[in-house]
Amino acid sequence: MSTEPEAPAPTPADGPSSGPTRRTFIATTSAVGGGVVIAGGAVGGGLLAASDEADAASAAPASRVSLTVNGTRHTVTVDNRTSLLDLLREHLDLTGAKKGCDAGACGACTVLVDGHRQNACLTLAVRLEGAKVTTIEGLADGDRLHPLQQAFIDEDAFQCGYCTPGQIVSGVGCIKEGHTHSPEEIREWMSGNICRCGCYVKIVRAVEQAAGRK
């Protein structure tokens, strides 16, 4: 039986392959990738540090304000942009005044400031140094309801109740201002308080009752 000669093995003269091997390719990309990660971490850290410094520099100024709410004196430090409504609800835990539109259009946040009706959402707390504020929580005398609170119950002048605190406080202000000579006058001077449930007729009757007209 005849045999064929085996193919000769490559000689060193043939030289190694000019392309990268799989091993050298992986080693190279790993080294480069590590360098990118390290560089990225260094750059990211620098950006975060700069951002923290910028945030600290742009922090809103705060002020101390002292005011009397429902007969109790309070001194608090607040961001200068804090509204009276947020001061009452978030700092003093007086949640009776409701945040409705937060734009002064619905009257759900009505309170009395030095006896006058005011939208708490539009009033900066820092401007009330020394002021006397009355909220719905401060109208009753212990267990005895304010006459207008009782009138709202007697006349069934509420449904969902969300606007009721603002309606009652506004009604108290309306009575103190002397704007209760007729149902038409009451409606005019209470027009800043919106009732989505449409209880306006009974609200007017309640204000009339508390004003002594019924």
Side-chain angles (χ1 to χ4, degrees):
M1 182 172 64
S2 62
T3 60
E4 296 181 0
E6 295 181 357
T11 63
D14 293 334
S17 174
S18 60
T21 65
R22 179 173 178 273
R23 179 174 298 175
T24 58
F25 175 78
I26 293 175
T28 303
T29 54
S30 298
V32 173
V36 171
V37 171
I38 294 172
V43 173
L47 291 176
L48 289 175
S51 176
D52 291 342
E53 292 176 2
D55 290 343
S58 62
S63 299
R64 287 171 60 86
V65 59
S66 295
L67 69 167
T68 300
V69 181
N70 299 331
T72 302
R73 188 74 169 178
H74 297 275
T75 300
V76 293
T77 300
V78 295
D79 184 316
N80 287 352
R81 299 167 296 181
T82 301
S83 68
L84 173 59
L85 180 59
D86 287 338
L87 172 65
L88 294 171
R89 294 179 60 85
E90 299 178 12
H91 294 265
L92 303 183
D93 200 27
L94 295 171
T95 57
K98 296 296 186 285
K99 181 173 286 192
C101 66
D102 207 24
C106 72
C109 66
T110 304
V111 298
L112 300 178
V113 178
D114 294 330
H116 301 286
R117 292 180 285 176
Q118 208 153 317
N119 289 323
C121 71
L122 296 183
T123 305
L124 288 176
V126 294
R127 301 191 65 181
L128 298 180
E129 178 65 33
K132 294 182 179 179
V133 178
T134 302
T135 71
I136 187 69
E137 291 92 342
L139 291 181
D141 182 11
D143 294 333
R144 182 181 179 185
L145 296 177
H146 185 280
L148 186 53
Q149 290 175 308
Q150 186 61 55
F152 262 67
I153 295 174
D154 296 341
E155 296 292 342
D156 193 23
F158 50 86
Q159 188 166 320
C160 78
Y162 194 84
C163 76
T164 303
Q167 295 280 2
I168 292 176
V169 174
S170 185
V172 170
C174 186
I175 294 170
K176 287 184 177 181
E177 295 160 12
H179 299 305
T180 59
H181 296 97
S182 68
E184 292 75 20
E185 185 177 23
I186 294 173
R187 283 195 291 269
E188 174 68 24
W189 289 90
M190 290 284 292
S191 61
N193 292 81
I194 296 174
C195 175
R196 298 295 185 185
C197 301
C199 297
Y200 295 112
V201 172
K202 294 180 178 180
I203 290 172
V204 171
R205 290 176 182 170
V207 174
E208 284 184 305
Q209 176 179 315
R213 291 180 54 81
K214 293 183 67 176

